[in-house]
Amino acid sequence: MSNKVFFFGAGFSKAINGDYPLLTGKDGLTNRVLRDLKNDNGDDYEKKSIQQHFKEIPQSLTDNIEELLTYLSSDLPWKDERQKAMNKALYIDITNKIVKIFESINNYDFADCNSKQFQKNKALWEFIYKENITCVSLNYDLLLEKNLIAASNIIKKQDEMIINIQEEDSCGKFYKIPILNIINRVSNSCSYRYELPEILKLHGSINWLYSSISPSDSIFYRDFQKVENNLIEDLVPFIIPPILDKNSFYNNNTLKSIWKRAHTSIKSAEEIYIVGFSFPLTDLPIKLLFQSALRKNNDVKVYVINPDNSDEFKSRYKHIFTEEQLQWDFCGIDNSLEKFINNKVLNNNLSEAL
């Protein structure tokens, strides 16, 4: 395992592909989901029931996605069984809308190794792959998986530069916690390659599915092949939407293991690269993750890669990390990720080659 760790927030995906939404803002994920909800006029009985239930919820909640989802997912003592059932149906409907937004940007095709987007950031993907760097991510999208698979094909075919998609080109080779390929619902065989980078998705992924019944539920992942409906019709997406209280999700045994591995990786890291994350006050578990993991690691270097240079932004970091740990070289500048790649990643690759 590498002594380096990447930590990716939504700003990372946005920096790679401007079509990805941030949580807030006019075209952010929150507003897009709320617009879809308010304009959703389904024809079937189920859709109409969900829409009617949405209209019965106080407007003060329906204008704030975090408060709405927190209300829907909380087992509050005054809710009767009908309310709980309708809340769960609306909650699943919102989750599906979030997944569809990301799927419209990030479909299940492989990354194009010859595209300008891939070539622009090729050094980053190869750096992660060759250095076997653990990537801790809060993002639902498949940007990491797709580009690391493309990088692995380039590295495997380096001499002739012929890109072949092979059967082993699966997201699963980067998920080292036992998340099963959906096709393994009829075949229990699975294997993990520990010499590859690991992707730890703390908030789930658009290609993860589970039954949403108990903490022991298995999490399955969809790969890039077409999946028969009979394999997934009883499952719902496993993503942790932006809610104020995420504790109910953290009871899932597989997700607990993912968080523990993230804690271990951060704890032993010598360098941490935090890309596109501002430590919002509503995401307390992430703050506690770093504070707990680094409480005895005073020598770690934490690189902040973000165009934001405001006092408020920096104060959040200073509340978590020491001045000695923080590295501001790539903070508060335009195209901060691109400059990080050009100055840190390429220089590292050059020194490795020498």
Side-chain angles (χ1 to χ4, degrees):
M1 180 185 292
S2 171
N3 57 9
K4 302 178 178 70
V5 171
F6 272 102
F7 187 91
F8 295 125
F12 167 70
S13 295
K14 184 77 172 176
I16 298 294
N17 183 342
D19 291 336
Y20 283 110
L22 299 175
L23 178 61
T24 57
K26 182 179 178 181
D27 293 316
L29 184 63
T30 294
N31 279 342
R32 291 175 67 173
V33 171
L34 289 174
R35 281 198 301 268
D36 284 352
L37 276 171
K38 291 174 181 178
N39 297 326
D40 197 356
N41 295 311
D43 295 329
D44 59 70
Y45 175 78
E46 181 182 340
K47 282 284 185 184
K48 287 181 178 178
S49 299
I50 291 174
Q51 184 65 11
Q52 181 59 39
H53 183 64
F54 176 68
K55 291 177 180 178
E56 293 171 0
I57 294 173
Q59 187 175 351
S60 59
L61 288 175
T62 60
D63 288 338
N64 185 309
I65 194 73
E66 288 182 313
E67 291 185 6
L68 173 61
L69 289 169
T70 301
Y71 169 76
L72 295 177
S73 62
S74 299
D75 188 13
L76 300 172
W78 62 83
K79 291 181 181 179
D80 59 31
E81 293 306 312
R82 177 192 172 279
Q83 286 177 309
K84 291 178 184 179
M86 290 305 301
N87 285 347
K88 183 172 183 179
L90 178 55
Y91 181 91
I92 291 173
D93 186 60
I94 294 173
T95 301
N96 285 326
K97 289 183 188 302
I98 292 173
V99 169
K100 287 179 181 178
I101 287 171
F102 280 95
E103 284 181 338
S104 69
I105 304 166
N106 191 155
N107 57 33
Y108 291 93
D109 296 331
F110 285 91
D112 181 1
C113 302
N114 298 313
S115 69
K116 288 183 180 179
Q117 186 185 97
F118 179 84
Q119 291 296 323
K120 179 181 178 181
N121 303 293
K122 177 183 172 185
L124 175 64
W125 311 126
E126 292 189 348
F127 175 58
I128 293 172
Y129 190 88
K130 289 179 179 178
E131 293 278 323
N132 192 16
I133 298 175
T134 295
C135 297
V136 182
S137 177
L138 302 180
N139 300 331
Y140 308 137
D141 59 70
L142 303 180
L143 189 149
L144 267 176
E145 291 92 325
K146 292 171 72 168
N147 284 286
L148 287 180
I149 286 172
S152 70
N153 280 316
I154 287 178
I155 292 167
K156 285 185 289 186
K157 300 291 180 179
Q158 200 84 52
D159 293 336
E160 51 200 74
M161 291 304 291
I162 296 174
I163 311 303
N164 290 326
I165 303 302
Q166 303 187 10
E167 287 185 4
E168 66 174 20
D169 287 330
S170 163
C171 299
K173 66 183 182 180
F174 302 114
Y175 304 150
K176 298 179 184 179
I177 289 294
I179 300 173
L180 300 177
N181 193 318
I182 194 68
I183 62 174
N184 288 325
R185 294 192 87 184
V186 291
S187 171
N188 290 323
S189 62
C190 58
S191 60
Y192 309 99
R193 295 175 58 185
Y194 286 90
E195 73 275 13
L196 295 175
E198 181 170 16
I199 297 176
L200 299 168
K201 306 187 86 167
L202 303 185
H203 286 173
S205 182
I206 63 169
N207 67 325
W208 292 6
L209 302 155
Y210 78 134
S211 63
S212 183
I213 295 174
S214 76
S216 60
D217 284 346
S218 295
I219 299 177
F220 300 92
Y221 69 89
R222 280 186 59 183
D223 234 327
F224 300 108
Q225 76 274 30
K226 184 177 179 180
V227 177
E228 296 296 332
N229 283 337
N230 66 309
L231 289 178
I232 62 173
E233 60 187 358
D234 62 326
L235 303 177
V236 297
F238 188 91
I239 62 172
I240 301 178
I243 57 177
L244 301 177
D245 182 4
K246 302 179 176 70
N247 287 333
S248 59
F249 286 94
Y250 297 150
N251 289 329
N252 181 274
N253 293 335
T254 301
L255 191 67
K256 281 183 181 179
S257 297
I258 291 172
W259 276 74
K260 287 178 182 177
R261 289 184 72 88
H263 187 279
T264 299
S265 296
I266 293 169
K267 182 178 180 179
S268 59
E270 295 179 9
E271 294 185 0
I272 299 173
Y273 315 114
I274 303 180
V275 189
F277 189 62
S278 62
F279 286 98
L281 300 177
T282 54
D283 215 337
L284 182 61
I286 301 298
K287 172 185 172 182
L288 297 176
L289 171 69
F290 277 96
Q291 288 179 323
S292 172
L294 298 179
R295 67 186 185 278
K296 294 182 179 179
N297 187 350
N298 296 320
D299 298 326
V300 65
K301 292 183 178 180
V302 179
Y303 290 86
V304 184
I305 304 154
N306 202 302
D308 195 343
N309 197 35
S310 66
D311 291 339
E312 180 184 358
F313 173 82
K314 286 192 169 184
S315 69
R316 292 177 186 175
Y317 273 83
K318 290 176 182 178
H319 190 64
I320 299 167
F321 308 101
T322 66
E323 289 285 356
E324 292 73 26
Q325 290 172 333
L326 287 167
Q327 309 294 312
W328 300 106
D329 309 53
F330 307 102
C331 181
I333 52 178
D334 292 335
N335 302 315
S336 53
L337 178 59
E338 183 178 348
K339 290 178 181 178
F340 168 77
I341 294 171
N342 292 336
N343 291 280
K344 179 70 176 174
V345 174
L346 287 174
N347 285 341
N348 183 87
N349 289 348
L350 181 60
S351 63
E352 290 286 336
L354 295 176

